Amino acid sequence: MADAGPGKAAGRDNAPESRTVGFDQILDRLKSVVEKLEVGNLGLEESLAVFEEGVALTRSGAAMLDAAEKRVDLLTRGADGGERIVAFHPGGSDPERGEGEGGAR
């Protein structure tokens, strides 16, 4: 039997690796998993294996979202360390800095 390599269990090449797989890749793979399960032509064992992969992908994606939320919280804290509300402006524009619609002040 061939060595599965560091950090990989034998026969689990499809398992997500949060260190090397980006969030968008996880979403794409999760969509593929859902499509496979929705078609309904898999046997019981294969369905369970695909479902297990989907659960692992979901957990990895949720962990990435949690980490991103923590980073945003840290980046949006006030100078005193207290929380402050920061409005979200799509496209990265920030009217308070004179960016976005209306140009610079």
Side-chain angles (χ1 to χ4, degrees), residues 14-26:
N14 292 2
E17 294 182 23
S18 60
R19 292 182 187 152
T20 59
V21 177
F23 185 76
D24 291 332
Q25 292 169 314
I26 287 175

Side-chain angles (χ1 to χ4, degrees), residues 18-59:
S18 60
R19 292 182 187 152
T20 59
V21 177
F23 185 76
D24 291 332
Q25 292 169 314
I26 287 175
L27 281 181
D28 288 342
R29 184 67 190 133
L30 194 53
K31 287 176 188 175
S32 172
V33 164
V34 169
E35 288 171 4
K36 281 184 183 179
L37 291 171
E38 286 180 341
V39 169
N41 63 354
L42 302 175
L44 177 62
E45 289 301 317
E46 192 173 358
S47 292
L48 287 172
V50 171
F51 180 76
E52 184 178 355
E53 179 185 4
V55 169
L57 288 164
T58 300
R59 289 178 180 161

